[in-house]
Amino acid sequence: MATDPLSRTFAALADPTRRAILARLVAGECSVTKLAEPFDMSLPAVSKHLRVLERAGLIARGREAQWRPCRLEAGPLKQVADFVERYRHIWEARLDRLDSYLQELKKKEKTHGRKHRGK
Amino acid sequence: MATDPLSRTFAALADPTRRAILARLVAGECSVTKLAEPFDMSLPAVSKHLRVLERAGLIARGREAQWRPCRLEAGPLKQVADFVERYRHIWEARLDRLDSYLQELKKKEKTHGRKHRGK
């Protein structure tokens, strides 16, 4: 379905198991059997997830016939960071507005409190 | 399929048309008809994409019955930025290694060039 690289990356990331696999690989390369351990999942099911990650370029597999360790490839994640960076000013502006609103509320509360004590 | 919010966000972003719609909404809220203009697509097809974006919380629709403008909601994009941030050190380390390698190559080339001129 997804043919462009960024869509392939997003589709691969749209699954909690695949994101957990990537998180595990931050610590270093790992065999499929070891990767499968924390999941209540058959090896073929895990292998299927690995194929999706591999097709998206998020992991690479070693060449050793018996032990084909997986390792993280962070290139596509950098593309995601670059994509999302273009929207940062929008959520930061929203947080700024929220912050000003809270400051305003605090100021009003103080004035209100002072008035009450003045009575 | 995707039930957790982050998976829903990633699935919604895994389509170039939906990403183009979000990019358009950076400029401000917009009607569905206007949003559909640049795409060679029927209004129902665009509406389907909008529903996916809305379910992921990436856009919100106005309440006006006739003109229900779409606006960008950047909250889920911040979640994506937070997710990808955890991997930044990996691609930055790779870029650093590449940089050291290139510096090394340049140094070698200089030494090599000097030797050649010395002959």
Side-chain angles (χ1 to χ4, degrees):
Chain A
M1 196 182 99
T3 48
D4 66 284
L6 193 55
S7 295
R8 255 199 318 268
T9 303
F10 280 129
L13 292 173
D15 181 279
T17 305
R18 289 197 288 269
R19 292 199 301 278
I21 290 173
L22 291 182
R24 166 63 190 82
L25 291 175
V26 170
E29 57 175 30
C30 189
S31 72
V32 179
T33 333
K34 270 224 151 168
L35 271 179
E37 267 171 20
F39 304 108
D40 189 22
M41 221 177 245
S42 67
L43 268 184
V46 172
S47 293
K48 210 173 151 186
H49 281 308
L50 293 177
R51 273 199 300 279
V52 177
L53 290 170
E54 201 176 0
R55 245 179 284 142
L58 285 160
I59 65 163
R61 311 280 308 262
R63 293 264 160 258
E64 297 82 355
Q66 283 297 316
W67 188 72
R68 296 193 58 202
C70 301
R71 67 164 186 278
L72 188 65
E73 292 282 326
L77 292 170
K78 186 185 180 309
Q79 302 304 315
V80 170
D82 292 345
F83 166 83
V84 92
E85 203 50 44
R86 280 174 267 158
Y87 297 89
R88 179 177 295 275
H89 66 283
I90 297 178
W91 73 72
E92 286 189 343
R94 206 187 53 172
L95 289 175
D96 282 350
R97 278 197 302 277
L98 192 67
D99 197 49
S100 319
Y101 176 68
L102 288 176
Q103 292 299 327
E104 204 55 43
L105 270 189
K106 263 192 207 164
K107 229 188 278 175
K108 271 186 194 162
E109 209 156 77
K110 246 188 205 166
T111 325
H112 190 71
R114 219 176 283 141
K115 268 186 200 160
H116 266 260
R117 273 193 300 276
K119 270 181 191 172
Chain B
M1 197 181 98
T3 47
D4 66 285
L6 193 55
S7 295
R8 253 197 321 265
T9 303
F10 280 130
L13 292 173
D15 181 280
T17 304
R18 289 197 289 267
R19 292 197 301 277
I21 290 173
L22 291 182
R24 165 65 189 80
L25 291 175
V26 170
E29 57 175 29
C30 188
S31 72
V32 179
T33 333
K34 269 222 152 169
L35 270 180
E37 268 172 20
F39 305 108
D40 189 22
M41 222 176 246
S42 67
L43 267 184
V46 171
S47 293
K48 210 173 151 188
H49 282 306
L50 293 177
R51 273 198 301 279
V52 176
L53 290 169
E54 201 177 0
R55 244 178 285 143
L58 284 160
I59 66 165
R61 311 278 308 262
R63 294 262 162 259
E64 296 82 356
Q66 283 298 315
W67 188 71
R68 295 194 57 204
C70 302
R71 67 163 187 277
L72 188 64
E73 291 282 326
L77 292 171
K78 185 184 181 310
Q79 301 304 316
V80 170
D82 292 345
F83 165 83
V84 93
E85 203 51 43
R86 282 174 267 157
Y87 297 90
R88 180 178 296 275
H89 66 283
I90 298 180
W91 73 73
E92 284 188 343
R94 207 187 53 171
L95 290 176
D96 283 349
R97 279 198 301 279
L98 193 67
D99 198 49
S100 319
Y101 176 69
L102 289 177
Q103 293 298 329
E104 205 54 44
L105 270 188
K106 263 191 207 164
K107 229 188 275 175
K108 271 187 194 161
E109 210 156 77
K110 246 188 205 168
T111 325
H112 190 71
R114 221 177 281 141
K115 268 187 198 160
H116 265 261
R117 275 195 299 278
K119 269 179 188 171

